[in-house]
Amino acid sequence: MLQACLNGSRTAEEHPALPLTPERLAEDAADVAALGVTSVHIHPRDVIGLPTLVGPEVATTIATVRAAVPGIEISVSTDVPGNRGTLIASWAPLATGRPDIAAVHLDDPDWRDLVQALHQVNVKVELVVTTPARLADLPPGVSRVTVTATRDTAESLLALVEPLGLPILLHGRDDEAWQVLDYAALLEHHVRMGLEDTLRLPDGRRARNNAELVALARKRQRTRAPS
């Protein structure tokens, strides 16, 4: 799988092509879907551009993206301030406005409660692992592990999560993004790329947009995978 991470917690000042509104996210989702992406990870924003989990705002974003790319997996972040359990519970009546899967960070002290809250509203969980941690007795609802690593830490983190037997998405951030993507492709793990992870191409030039990053990521994923 190639997942596109379209915006993250970045601000408009960091890149002129960063998609923040539902309409812009839908446009970018359509562009990357045409390149072979089967999952998009987004951070819905409120009317002033701040990350949000509020039901109506999440629903508007998800429904708009889903209309542009029906059938694609839509993932959201839960890394926002506020009473997240209550906000997630408000997703229960959402239909096309409910995400398919949500990212929960293992180093979040409330991670088990968040997984339970998501499970109760029928949203799957991708558990994000960034540092060594105990991974026994995962609660119901965790369907994938996302490993955020550097090239130096990737091997040790993978050794922790691979025994779980769950699909693994391996990715890096900023200067490490392309090295980790190449390593993940070599191991045939899921990969991701987009403006959340890096603003630059491997040669250091600033990427024009998500589509340029994803197109190159797809090419590198294919050429580095074992034959």
Side-chain angles (χ1 to χ4, degrees):
M1 180 184 77
L2 172 60
Q3 183 185 74
C5 48
L6 298 180
N7 58 356
S9 58
R10 295 191 189 273
T11 65
E13 290 73 25
E14 292 181 74
H15 198 289
L18 189 75
L20 297 177
T21 66
E23 293 75 19
R24 283 287 295 110
L25 284 165
E27 291 171 5
D28 275 25
D31 289 342
V32 298
L35 297 169
V37 161
T38 56
S39 174
V40 292
H41 177 69
I42 61 179
H43 290 226
R45 306 300 179 99
D46 62 18
V47 292
I48 61 173
L50 296 177
T52 182
L53 293 179
V54 174
E57 292 168 329
V58 169
T60 297
T61 298
I62 300 300
T64 303
V65 173
R66 200 179 300 285
V69 283
I72 204 169
E73 178 190 78
I74 302 177
S75 166
V76 299
S77 171
T78 59
D79 189 17
V80 302
N83 188 334
R84 292 171 293 172
T86 300
L87 292 172
I88 290 169
S90 73
W91 298 357
L94 305 181
T96 57
R98 184 166 54 203
D100 301 299
I101 189 167
V104 174
H105 288 253
L106 189 66
D107 57 4
D108 188 317
D110 299 322
W111 76 269
R112 286 187 178 273
D113 293 336
L114 292 174
V115 171
Q116 182 179 19
L118 289 161
H119 186 55
Q120 289 176 342
V121 296
N122 296 315
V123 174
K124 295 181 292 185
V125 172
E126 50 183 333
L127 192 63
V128 181
V129 176
T130 60
T131 57
R134 183 174 177 271
L135 289 168
D137 304 320
L138 293 184
V142 178
S143 63
R144 182 165 69 227
V145 178
T146 294
V147 176
T148 305
T150 66
R151 183 61 187 84
D152 290 337
T153 64
E155 185 175 356
S156 60
L157 290 176
L158 287 173
L160 290 174
V161 304
E162 285 173 343
L164 297 172
L166 293 170
I168 295 170
L169 189 158
L170 174 62
H171 76 108
R173 297 290 304 272
D174 296 318
D175 293 343
E176 298 280 345
W178 291 104
Q179 290 186 65
V180 176
L181 181 138
D182 290 346
Y183 184 54
L186 179 66
L187 297 177
E188 297 186 283
H189 285 311
H190 298 317
V191 299
R192 81 176 204 180
M193 184 54 66
L195 290 173
E196 174 176 355
D197 280 355
T198 184
L199 305 177
R200 299 191 176 277
L201 300 171
D203 61 8
R205 290 180 295 119
R206 188 166 75 168
R208 291 192 300 272
N209 49 35
N210 276 305
E212 184 175 29
L213 288 169
V214 168
L216 183 56
R218 174 56 99 194
K219 181 178 178 181
R220 291 169 80 100
Q221 183 187 27
R222 288 172 170 165
T223 57
R224 284 156 176 78
S227 58

